[in-house]
């Protein structure tokens, strides 16, 4: 008999190979799209000035409190992450509130010092910087930098540390507004 012989399962392997290849191609295209979007967002935010310098030595009101720096967003829009100046990268952090401002010591990213003159509002929230939960576990610091109003979000490792940290930060915002 002339013609190809039948091999059971052969057509399945060809179909499976095509499916795996197509899935890999779609995954690569999705990652490329996300990378290009991140780069485009960074170029749009290039006008953001350099981050504030180190705060002057001042008495510590609260902290350091270990936690996670979740990111910085445009104020009022917890999904609009600021990626310029490494502000969009989540990282382990410790937060310290002093009379001069708030220090967010991020590792391995550069330290973020928010001077008391830039702080506008402090609150606890359940959503911020692309993260949401059922209970208020996030510390949200609203501050101005250049001509932009930003929100920096930190989640303390221990929930019990959230209220004292928020109270101390709120106290320096209130003191600055009264001065």
């Amino acid at each position: 008999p002339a013609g190809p012989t039948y091999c059971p399962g052969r057509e399945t392997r060809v179909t499976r190979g095509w499916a795996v290849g197509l899935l890999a191609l779609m995954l690569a295209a999705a990652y490329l799209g996300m990378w290009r979007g991140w780069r485009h967002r960074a170029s749009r935010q290039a006008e953001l000035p350099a981050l504030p310098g180190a705060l002057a030595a001042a008495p510590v009101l609260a902290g350091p409190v270990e936690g996670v720096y979740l990111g910085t967003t445009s104020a009022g829009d917890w999904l609009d992450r600021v990626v310029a100046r490494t502000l969009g990268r989540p990282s382990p952090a410790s937060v310290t509130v002093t009379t001069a401002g708030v220090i967010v010591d991020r590792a391995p990213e550069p330290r973020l010092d928010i001077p008391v003159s830039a702080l506008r509002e402090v609150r606890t929230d359940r959503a911020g910087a692309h993260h949401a939960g059922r209970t208020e576990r996030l510390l949200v610091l609203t501050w101005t930098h250049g001509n932009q109003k930003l929100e920096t979000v930190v989640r303390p490792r221990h929930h019990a540390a959230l209220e004292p940290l928020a109270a101390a930060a709120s106290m320096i915002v209130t003191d600055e507004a009264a001065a």
Side-chain angles (χ1 to χ4, degrees), residues 22 29 31 80 82 89-90 100 118 138:
L22 183 62
Y31 280 127
D80 185 24
V82 175
R89 298 182 192 150
L138 305 177

Side-chain angles (χ1 to χ4, degrees), residues 6-152:
Y6 176 72
C7 294
R10 181 177 177 144
E11 63 280 344
T12 307
R13 274 189 230 114
V14 171
T15 305
R16 188 178 304 141
W18 278 102
V20 169
L22 183 62
L23 181 64
L25 187 63
M26 288 174 30
L27 220 83
Y31 280 127
L32 178 66
M34 288 188 293
W35 178 76
R36 289 185 64 194
W38 189 267
R39 302 264 311 185
H40 179 67
R41 183 179 294 237
S43 69
R44 280 188 327 209
Q45 297 169 350
E47 76 278 354
L48 189 70
L51 295 177
L55 297 176
V60 173
L61 300 176
V65 173
E66 296 297 317
V68 178
Y69 169 81
L70 297 176
T72 298
T73 62
S74 297
D77 186 0
W78 63 281
L79 294 175
D80 185 24
R81 188 182 296 265
V82 175
V83 298
R85 312 269 184 234
T86 71
L87 291 175
R89 298 182 192 150
S91 59
S94 67
V95 181
T96 307
V97 179
T98 70
T99 55
V102 179
I103 301 166
V104 182
D105 196 7
R106 307 177 294 159
E109 305 300 335
R111 186 172 114 165
L112 174 61
D113 292 353
I114 304 172
V116 69
S117 60
L119 274 173
R120 296 295 173 252
E121 179 188 2
V122 176
R123 69 178 193 279
T124 59
D125 208 334
R126 61 172 215 81
H130 286 254
H131 291 76
R134 289 182 164 173
T135 59
E136 292 186 357
R137 297 220 34 186
L138 305 177
L139 176 69
V140 181
L141 305 165
T142 304
W143 56 295
T144 55
H145 185 58
N147 60 355
Q148 289 187 299
K149 198 170 181 184
L150 305 173
E151 288 182 348
T152 294

